Amino acid sequence: MSEVRGSRWGLPAIDFHCHFPGEEPVQDRLDAAYEHACGPAKLSLLRKNAAGYHERVRRARTLPPPGPETRTVEEVAAAWRAEADAAGLERVVFMSGGGNDRLAGVVAAHPGRFLGFANHQPCSPGAADELRRAATELGLSGYKVIAPWVTVPLADRSLWPVWEVCEEYSLPVVTHFGPVNGGGGMGYAPNMDPAALHDVAKAFPSVGFVVAHFGCGYPGELLRLGWANANVHVDTSGNQEWTRWMPYELTVKDLFRRFHETFGPERIVFGTDSCDFPWGYITQYADEQVRVMDELNLSPGDRRLIMAGNAARLLGLDLPGVATGRKDAA
């Protein structure tokens, strides 16, 4: 077992939701989703609108503009390792990274610091076999699903073999619900509501399901999903830009308070959604969350669970000094 590092926040920290640079560009996803419906001329206008919105969000968050990445995968991984060291992160969990094999190579080069999740469509041919390969041969630790991109209901029996692999290998499943691709992207899809996961969570109660970004536009639906299923968790990652589009005032503090009151500290998992350079590890997202926990006067035990303990439990990690349950969290 490795020695626990001291993070910049004064307690062990596992970032459960990051992305290793190299994913399919957002614009490619937009093209694939809408070109068949609107044609290339209209698609160019969609691109322009989406790009403008992305720039608006970036400036609002005072982040530097992203630039083209010219470094090798190994160099980017080393840079990410340096970012993790600077923040004092115990582990960084990458939800994606340019394909399962590519991400597995990054993780293997930095054992004891990086973990990775398989990230392929559950409705694609051979999805269950690929997930089994990711778990048994590639050394990946979980499964990430973008629900709005899934073309059949999540509870459709055609997807059962995928969930069965998760059950067999105790793989946590992180699922993104709500809009995807940022402003100007996909705002509607049959699996956009977290309620789509209800019957899957019921059928596989030993699988730890984690809904990303506080539900990303569907906090009420996620609260009901968690009320019905004790194996459903929430992660805190992202800039929470979606709260600007809610028809009522909603802040990160509001989200933390409500989920702490309902899910309890055992089902809240810390993350930032950090990915590309020059942004690197976005400490301002993490700092805001810690500030909110200070303002809510959460107990030291609750903070330890949220910042590291719950992630360690879901991932099956045995780390000294990292509490994974209520009895050892005080």
Side-chain angles (χ1 to χ4, degrees):
M1 295 186 294
S2 61
E3 182 181 353
V4 170
R5 304 168 183 86
S7 74
R8 63 185 272 132
W9 308 285
L11 69 169
I14 297 173
D15 195 314
F16 192 76
H17 194 134
C18 292
H19 296 269
F20 188 77
E23 296 182 83
E24 183 180 12
V26 166
Q27 197 56 63
D28 290 351
R29 287 287 186 184
L30 189 66
D31 292 356
Y34 298 110
E35 185 171 20
H36 71 284
C38 68
K42 293 180 181 179
L43 185 63
S44 66
L45 181 56
L46 291 183
R47 290 175 180 168
K48 180 180 178 181
N49 292 342
Y53 186 82
H54 280 291
E55 178 63 13
R56 174 185 170 190
V57 171
R58 184 194 66 76
R59 277 188 275 183
R61 288 282 167 173
T62 65
L63 294 171
E69 182 58 76
T70 60
R71 294 173 293 183
T72 66
V73 172
E74 292 77 15
E75 289 170 337
V76 174
W80 241 108
R81 177 67 181 262
E83 297 274 311
D85 288 344
L89 295 173
E90 184 65 23
R91 294 290 190 277
V92 175
V93 186
F94 291 117
M95 295 289 109
S96 61
N100 294 344
D101 289 277
R102 182 176 184 268
L103 182 56
V106 170
V107 169
H110 295 269
R113 184 59 66 91
F114 294 165
L115 295 98
F117 276 32
N119 181 229
H120 58 279
Q121 283 281 47
C123 52
S124 61
D129 290 338
E130 171 60 11
L131 184 55
R132 181 174 284 105
R133 183 181 78 93
T136 61
E137 298 180 25
L138 299 183
L140 297 180
S141 303
Y143 188 39
K144 169 68 183 297
V145 178
I146 306 291
W149 290 345
V150 181
T151 56
V152 299
L154 294 185
D156 192 279
R157 286 303 179 118
S158 66
L159 303 186
W160 235 241
V162 173
W163 311 129
E164 288 170 348
V165 172
C166 296
E167 181 180 55
E168 180 180 357
Y169 294 100
S170 300
L171 300 177
V173 179
V174 172
T175 309
H176 175 112
F177 292 97
V180 290
N181 299 348
M186 181 181 289
Y188 169 77
N191 287 314
M192 194 159 280
D193 186 330
L197 188 63
H198 180 275
D199 290 354
V200 179
K202 287 290 189 189
F204 298 92
S206 66
V207 175
F209 292 97
V210 183
V211 176
H213 319 311
F214 281 118
C216 196
Y218 292 84
E221 291 79 358
L222 175 54
L223 289 166
R224 287 194 292 274
L225 178 67
W227 173 82
N229 298 279
N231 56 327
V232 170
H233 304 66
V234 59
D235 90 30
T236 65
S237 67
N239 59 20
Q240 314 311 341
E241 168 69 13
W242 59 268
T243 59
R244 293 160 53 91
W245 298 97
M246 299 300 288
Y248 48 83
E249 185 69 21
L250 187 63
T251 67
V252 173
K253 186 175 181 178
D254 295 327
L255 291 166
F256 259 95
R257 177 190 292 112
R258 186 52 52 87
F259 279 93
H260 184 263
E261 291 172 349
T262 55
F263 276 43
E266 302 92 345
R267 290 199 278 159
I268 303 173
V269 188
F270 164 72
T272 62
D273 209 18
S274 299
C275 179
D276 296 298
F277 291 96
W279 302 346
Y281 190 69
I282 308 178
T283 54
Q284 68 190 68
Y285 293 176
D287 291 347
E288 181 181 18
Q289 294 179 41
V290 172
R291 175 183 57 78
V292 163
M293 286 189 278
D294 288 343
E295 292 175 358
L296 293 174
N297 198 29
L298 298 194
S299 72
D302 287 359
R303 297 180 196 217
R304 287 180 174 274
L305 287 174
I306 293 168
M307 292 296 293
N310 296 329
R313 185 186 72 250
L314 288 164
L315 294 164
L317 298 177
D318 182 13
L319 301 175
V322 175
T324 59
R326 293 306 303 156
K327 290 183 179 180
D328 57 0

